[in-house]
Amino acid sequence: MSDELQKHRAKKSLGQNFLKDQNICRKIVDAIDPTENDFIIEIGPGRGALTEFLVETGARKLVALEMDDELARRLDERWPHLEVIRMDALKFPWESLNEGPCKIIGNLPYNVGSKLIWDIVSRVQTLERAVFMVQHEVATRLTAEPGCKAFGGLTAWVNNFCTTTYLFKVPPTVFRPQPKVDSAVVRFTPLPVEKWPAAPDRLSELIKILFQQRRKQISTILKKRWNQSIEEWFESEGISPKIRPENLTPKQFSSLSERL
Ligand code: SAM
């Protein structure tokens, strides 16, 4: 890593916890299965801990989205062929990537990680694979099975667009400054677009309604919206409307949302 980048002092407001363990960095980059044909986008390159290994892969095109002006400038100077875009990744037009295959990677800032993942998996139809480091607790939610306490709205949404794999846990000691909690790396493998939800807006609405009151029975939560079609849906699925939201599978959320 260059001295200029190393000199940068971490900003808490931007979730800057920089990786200092080269083996972990290599493991994260390997998880994206990089090839020379790849177009890879890195979110939040920071001081370039992962970028260094991404550059080594010889990937055809590398783009980095970094919100910190000073870091973006230093990354630009360090790797002239890396395209650094200075912007808030939450505002990135993800659909613009739909012209060709791409992979997305990042040690995500904790405060925006879930929102970024929600958007990316549902808007990038040409995504080949994504690998993100997030808080361990978020990784557990992303990969939870129905019926588990960790299963939530994020689980139901994300797993309608891709399969998620919990890869490995990362302790606070490999960062500077050290975060207060464990982190974990998750791999996202998109489902074929034909299998994506037919009505994503309705799915997102249903997820929000059900998980705002997750301790209640579904029939109670949906009381005001109840109709014949919903009744029939429960019958055809062979499940009781008295179950709680976390007991539905991601696919069931999607098909139920079409009856709303
Ligand atoms: N990739 C580096 C590493 O692993 O050492 C840095 C990871 S650090 C956890 C998160 C990075 O994301 C920081 O560089 C921070 O400036 C950047 N960042 C924070 N919020 C952002 C946002 N909304 N859009 C783009 N980058 C952001």
Side-chain angles (χ1 to χ4, degrees), residues 14-20 42-51 65-68 71 87-90 106-112 116 133 175:
L14 287 177
Q16 293 182 348
N17 298 98
F18 299 115
L19 276 167
K20 56 173 189 168
E42 184 187 0
I43 301 176
R47 297 199 304 204
L50 298 178
T51 324
L65 304 181
E66 175 55 65
M67 198 164 161
D68 186 312
L71 280 175
M87 75 176 290
D88 177 353
L90 287 171
N107 167 14
L108 298 182
Y110 288 161
N111 52 344
V112 294
L116 279 170
M133 177 141 72
F175 298 88

Side-chain angles (χ1 to χ4, degrees), residues 20 49 72 120 128 138-139 168 189-190 204 227 245:
K20 56 173 189 168
I120 289 169
E128 290 181 297
V138 176
F168 52 92
T189 311
S204 139
N227 61 36

Side-chain angles (χ1 to χ4, degrees), residues 15-260:
Q16 293 182 348
N17 298 98
F18 299 115
L19 276 167
K20 56 173 189 168
D21 184 312
Q22 305 262 304
N23 289 330
I24 300 275
C25 293
R26 192 186 299 276
K27 238 173 121 176
I28 297 172
V29 170
D30 282 351
I32 197 101
D33 198 15
T35 74
E36 290 184 358
N37 262 335
D38 284 346
F39 167 26
I40 306 179
I41 298 112
E42 184 187 0
I43 301 176
R47 297 199 304 204
L50 298 178
T51 324
E52 182 131 37
F53 290 96
L54 288 168
V55 170
E56 270 181 20
T57 65
R60 177 176 63 81
K61 189 172 174 192
L62 271 183
V63 169
L65 304 181
E66 175 55 65
M67 198 164 161
D68 186 312
D69 284 350
E70 184 194 337
L71 280 175
R73 184 178 51 76
R74 289 181 175 176
L75 287 159
D76 233 354
E77 286 164 6
R78 171 77 175 86
W79 290 291
H81 88 280
L82 169 76
E83 186 186 335
V84 185
I85 304 179
R86 300 170 197 214
M87 75 176 290
D88 177 353
L90 287 171
K91 297 187 179 142
F92 187 79
W94 297 109
E95 285 84 358
S96 69
L97 297 176
N98 283 337
E99 284 177 7
C102 64
K103 295 179 177 176
I104 309 184
I105 193 167
N107 167 14
L108 298 182
Y110 288 161
N111 52 344
V112 294
S114 301
K115 172 80 178 95
L116 279 170
I117 292 171
W118 180 287
D119 287 350
I120 289 169
V121 297
S122 57
R123 289 166 59 186
V124 187
Q125 297 192 350
T126 52
L127 185 67
E128 290 181 297
R129 174 178 286 208
V131 171
F132 294 126
M133 177 141 72
V134 290
Q135 277 173 282
H136 169 72
E137 183 241 319
V138 176
T140 312
R141 279 198 271 138
L142 283 162
T143 54
E145 292 294 330
C148 295
K149 224 172 138 192
F151 190 101
L154 184 65
T155 329
W157 177 258
V158 169
N159 287 277
N160 261 292
F161 298 91
C162 54
T163 55
T164 51
T165 313
Y166 184 108
L167 294 181
F168 52 92
K169 197 167 177 174
V170 181
T173 47
V174 303
F175 298 88
R176 190 173 295 142
Q178 291 188 17
K180 291 200 172 65
V181 294
D182 283 326
S183 305
V185 178
V186 178
R187 184 176 59 218
F188 302 77
T189 311
L191 298 171
V193 175
E194 309 81 71
K195 294 197 172 165
W196 285 20
D201 290 349
R202 266 194 267 167
L203 171 61
S204 139
E205 192 191 344
L206 177 69
I207 287 174
K208 284 173 188 160
I209 296 168
L210 291 183
F211 282 101
Q212 265 163 14
Q213 307 181 64
R214 61 176 297 157
R215 285 169 192 279
K216 291 192 181 159
Q217 299 173 348
I218 296 178
S219 52
T220 310
I221 307 171
L222 295 183
K223 207 165 159 187
K224 285 188 191 149
R225 296 177 165 82
W226 205 256
N227 61 36
Q228 184 66 24
S229 175
I230 295 179
E231 183 81 37
E232 283 166 11
W233 183 85
F234 278 97
E235 274 169 29
S236 67
E237 292 289 320
I239 50 179
S240 160
K242 294 193 168 171
I243 61 169
R244 297 197 162 72
E246 71 264 25
N247 292 305
L248 294 179
T249 65
K251 200 81 228 122
Q252 285 173 328
F253 275 92
S254 174
S255 63
L256 175 58
S257 72
E258 289 169 29
R259 307 292 180 109
L260 274 190

